[in-house]
Amino acid sequence: MLNIAIVGCGWVSDWHVADGVAHLPERFRVLACCDTNPERLDAFAVRYGTERKVSDYDAVLAMPDIDVVVICTPPALHHHMTMAALKAGKHVVCEKPFTASLAQVDEIIAEEARSRGRCMPIFNCRFGNGIARVRHVITCGLAGRHFVSSAETAKRRGPDYYAVAWRGKFATELGGVLLTQAIHTHDLLLWLIGAPAEVSCFKTTRVNPIEVEDCAVATLRMADGSLASITATLGSTRQVTRLRLCFENVTFEREAYDEASAKPGTEPWTILPKTPEIGQAIEARLSEITPQHEWFVRQYELFADALEAGTPFPVTLADARLSIELVTAMFEADETRSVVQLPIQAGHPKYEGWLPQRSA
Ligand SMILES: NC(=O)c1ccc[n+]([C@@H]2O[C@H](COP(=O)([O-])OP(=O)(O)OC[C@H]3O[C@@H](n4cnc5c(N)ncnc54)[C@H](O)[C@@H]3O)[C@@H](O)[C@H]2O)c1
């Protein structure tokens, strides 16, 4: 049994509990909650019958019987809170966007190597039975070479969304649609087709009067020479997440509208084989996998399995690093009107971050 503390009792904390650990009572117990907002804290403690509630994060880290700290605070706090938890020997589950820079991710990777604790970034959209089928076809080699893919994240956000103080500002949200909404779709894309070698991007703010970007387009050239395109906006009348991946032997498609646009990993994914023979081979391989839990519950289930077995987490620090590397490249490409080469390492102008005050 793992005792967990939820830190930040806002919107997403309910997904971690009600859509996550509450479904695994034999593996997780929410022992503590922490929030600087007393109303939020009290309401969360009542909602989930949480034994302990504190406003001070250090008090959580001082509890010897807390095994896992779950960080659901605004983005700019993730790095500091993750580092402190690892230093205290706790396991960490941390929300997206993981950090404000590649330098911060690398610092966490180094700290995790020294710590008794381990750290799993959240990418809940990976856990769906639709995308599990797609990934199985790709990883078993049946899809063949990747040609070209497109990923579209079209959401609608207005003044009510930006009424929350931390949103819309670089200092607290770290970025806009590329950091907060589309980061999930981009993680799915790279999880399926691999890391890019070159990135170009334009981004702008046109939908809301905010500091951060709310529209973006980008093009990627992958290490194997294949291509991908990205579109992201917060100004779409109808919300949609759309992924289309063309491989040598098969095309994969998923269009998820409205509520479902938050869960692009779930069915229905369409798998279109090039020939009936390839279709039969795909069917045979797909019979090897069975439907699993989805969404947060599946990520937590695999987290507990990995802790028990000492195996890698279902989302690794390398995965979070790649998501932050893509953001870094997109910000650099837009600012310099250039094509940015990956990987990005220490010494790159944006290795320490893309925030305007940092690059000033
Ligand atoms: N994985 C997903 O699908 C998903 C969905 C929504 C949000 N998120 C991410 O989750 C994070 C939180 O987003 P949210 O929408 O829940 O925000 P929110 O504003 O609803 O909740 C954040 C909470 O953190 C609390 N907080 C702030 N500073 C704190 C501190 N120092 N110590 C303790 N608590 C503190 C706030 O009082 C607030 O209750 C963000 O990084 C966001 O991008 C992820």
Side-chain angles (χ1 to χ4, degrees):
M1 173 71 74
L2 293 162
N3 287 330
I4 72 175
I6 300 284
V7 181
C9 302
W11 168 264
V12 86
S13 66
D14 279 325
W15 285 0
H16 284 259
V17 182
D19 292 347
V21 294
H23 295 268
L24 305 164
E26 68 295 346
R27 308 191 83 173
F28 294 97
R29 176 169 51 158
V30 182
L31 190 58
C33 56
C34 170
D35 201 299
T36 45
N37 176 319
E39 291 85 42
R40 289 265 177 105
L41 184 64
D42 288 347
F44 182 96
V46 168
R47 214 154 54 241
Y48 299 111
T50 314
E51 204 174 282
R52 300 178 203 160
K53 50 177 185 174
V54 294
S55 58
D56 175 19
Y57 182 55
D58 289 338
V60 171
L61 301 185
M63 293 176 193
D65 50 356
I66 289 293
D67 304 301
V68 185
V69 174
V70 177
I71 299 171
C72 299
T73 51
L77 300 175
H78 294 175
H79 169 253
H80 164 75
M81 287 184 156
T82 298
M83 289 292 289
L86 288 172
K87 283 188 168 123
K90 308 293 189 195
H91 301 305
V92 183
V93 172
C94 182
E95 263 299 343
K96 46 56 58 173
F98 191 53
T99 62
S101 69
L102 284 167
Q104 289 185 350
V105 185
D106 287 345
E107 216 185 325
I108 289 170
I109 291 171
E111 190 57 45
E112 196 212 37
R114 287 189 288 268
S115 173
R116 273 186 291 121
R118 296 177 57 193
C119 177
M120 179 181 74
I122 285 286
F123 270 130
N124 43 298
C125 290
R126 283 189 183 191
F127 304 95
N129 288 315
I131 202 161
R133 289 195 303 133
V134 169
R135 204 168 132 83
H136 192 60
V137 173
I138 294 170
T139 54
C140 74
L142 276 178
R145 291 187 309 132
H146 174 244
F147 291 158
V148 70
S149 290
S150 58
E152 182 182 359
T153 312
K155 303 276 180 179
R156 191 179 60 243
R157 297 290 184 270
D160 52 336
Y161 182 82
Y162 289 104
V164 175
W166 65 263
R167 294 189 182 133
K169 303 179 184 85
F170 278 111
T172 43
E173 193 178 352
L174 308 179
V177 66
L178 293 174
L179 270 292
T180 299
Q181 287 84 17
I183 200 165
H184 285 294
T185 325
H186 303 166
D187 171 66
L188 298 185
L189 179 72
L190 301 192
W191 192 44
L192 296 175
I193 67 172
E198 290 186 305
V199 173
S200 65
C201 177
F202 291 104
K203 60 181 181 56
T204 188
T205 308
R206 292 178 75 79
V207 183
N208 285 288
I210 51 175
E211 257 177 44
V212 297
E213 81 289 349
D214 55 23
C215 297
V217 292
T219 51
L220 317 182
R221 194 181 65 76
M222 317 312 290
D224 66 359
S226 64
L227 305 173
S229 71
I230 281 172
T231 310
T233 184
L234 299 180
S236 176
T237 308
R238 189 175 191 191
Q239 304 206 92
V240 58
T241 305
R242 189 181 284 120
L243 281 151
R244 190 162 202 287
L245 305 109
C246 299
F247 284 74
E248 187 179 2
N249 299 325
V250 53
T251 293
F252 305 99
E253 294 177 341
R254 171 71 165 119
E255 283 188 337
Y257 288 99
D258 303 321
E259 290 264 299
S261 70
K263 295 186 176 178
T266 58
E267 299 284 17
W269 273 81
T270 306
I271 298 181
L272 298 157
K274 194 166 74 176
T275 64
E277 294 71 33
I278 293 167
Q280 281 164 8
I282 287 174
E283 283 310 313
R285 292 308 297 256
L286 287 180
S287 67
E288 296 166 356
I289 58 170
T290 51
Q292 302 290 338
H293 286 131
E294 301 188 296
W295 197 236
F296 281 88
V297 61
R298 183 62 177 155
Q299 186 165 357
Y300 273 104
E301 194 172 42
L302 293 171
F303 171 76
D305 288 349
L307 277 183
E308 270 173 35
T311 50
F313 288 137
V315 179
T316 64
L317 290 174
D319 296 329
R321 193 185 192 286
L322 184 57
S323 77
I324 296 300
E325 192 173 26
L326 177 60
V327 167
T328 307
M330 290 193 286
F331 272 73
E332 171 75 352
D334 173 68
E335 189 181 304
T336 60
R337 296 292 190 263
S338 65
V339 176
V340 174
Q341 315 284 321
L342 275 70
I344 296 173
Q345 304 290 2
H348 185 278
K350 289 215 168 23
Y351 178 74
E352 301 287 339
W354 54 82
L355 302 185
Q357 64 269 30
R358 284 172 182 267
S359 58

